[in-house]
Amino acid sequence: MKKEFLDLGRQPIANAFLKEKDFDDEFLFDLKVVFDTESKLISIKEFVDPERIFNENYPYTTSNSFPMVKHFKETAEMLMKKFNPLTVMEIGSNDGVFLKNWPNDYTIGIEPCGHFAKITNDLGYQTYSEFWTTELSEKIKNDGHVDFDLIYAANCICHIHDLDETFKAVKNLLSKDGVFVFEDPSLLRILERNSYDQIYDEHPHIFSITALDNILINNGLKIFRVDNLSVHGGSNRIYVSHLPVHTFFRFRPVEMSVRENLEKEYDFGLNEFKIYQDFAKRVNKSKNDLIELLTKLKNDGKRIMSIGATSKSTTVFNYCEIDESLIECITDTTPDKQGMHSPGSHISVVDRESVNLNDYDYVFLGAWNFKEVIANKEKDFIENGGKFITHVPEVTVFS
Ligand code: TMP
């Protein structure tokens, strides 16, 4: 049974930055969040057709978020050392930041956005520009690929509606001793930090280890290790192998980190509906606090802008009904977002270089997950009396 606990209102596609001429045709949907009492999975109620989201206009490129470039390089080096895989496949390879760390003869990518698939194909990594399905896994087999020793996916598995289908397709291509490693935002960290803005169309599911453990086992796979990461405001990296049902499968012992994470989630109350009802109350308070703060600053004649035109800020601005009357503009390092308007709230997105931060009194951190990086880059703004605003874990002003 699916029980609803949170309503984030009418929302656009979080990454669909747009031109003024397209404002009237913007697609909106109801962003409501539900708890599955059986599997304990958290999902959004109304899924958005993935083709509306992941297409030639999808603007997020990993290579333009430099902390993530470092993260994926280090992840690849760690996986190489730990598992020494010969054959590697990445699901959701974006513009190839992870793929580039592996030899192209033995590495393939899956990327539904054609403009990204072209980049990695041009680099010599065979990339299937398709959504991840069992049908595609069969096609890859028929194309003569051997099974993969490492299947990797970052911020991608939680994008896929049908998890049983997803995991069956992974199992279909995972070598006997292979490892499937994926990382996605952590539900526990979202609840702990009130970061409700990690809920948007691209994240039809928000994963706990508890729910994943239930769903993976049903699909003949098991979690043998979990790393808690700081990226994207707190993610989990989950290591999965085949369930050792055949004697020829090497047994990978389940490491302590799995039990520790399951216990941590249980102790927090992730299995209980009440914890989600409490979260919804905190989210509502966060909205009221943010509106109150921004309105007061504006009434006092202060100027406010935002750094990081993130999907997260799409959720915040639309849920809190914040537009250019409160936040004058957003800067972002991604060229495809610049010159566009933010989804739903229609705030102008510009290049950081075109803005003198000292013209503003306050900067709202749309990319609060890069708080330290941004504060470090913008020391001059702080030295000139500027202040940052964040809503995570609660609405705060700091400098
Ligand atoms: P993410 O939170 O989904 O990774 O997106 C971060 C966005 O913020 C991405 O569009 C790049 C942008 N960004 C900046 O504009 N300035 C920065 O200093 C950093 C680190 C990211």
Side-chain angles (χ1 to χ4, degrees), residues 366-382:
W368 54 264
N369 45 319
F370 295 125
K371 180 171 147 184
E372 282 80 22
V373 176
I374 294 169
N376 207 26
K377 269 203 257 180
E378 308 295 357
K379 279 195 188 114
D380 183 51
F381 168 67
I382 299 298

Side-chain angles (χ1 to χ4, degrees), residues 18 44 46 71 90 126 151 176 201 234 295 316 341 356:
L18 69 174
I44 66 176
E46 185 183 321
H71 170 76
E90 183 182 16
Q126 185 185 6
I151 300 181
K176 277 200 324 272
D201 58 297
T295 312
V316 177
H341 291 81
N356 180 359

Side-chain angles (χ1 to χ4, degrees), residues 60 64-67 232 307-310 312 331-334 337 367 369-370 373-374 377:
Y60 180 88
N64 280 299
S65 206
F66 77 90
H232 287 294
I307 292 185
T310 58
K312 295 187 282 295
T331 64
D332 199 282
T333 46
T334 312
K337 295 183 186 177
N369 45 319
F370 295 125
V373 176
I374 294 169
K377 269 203 257 180

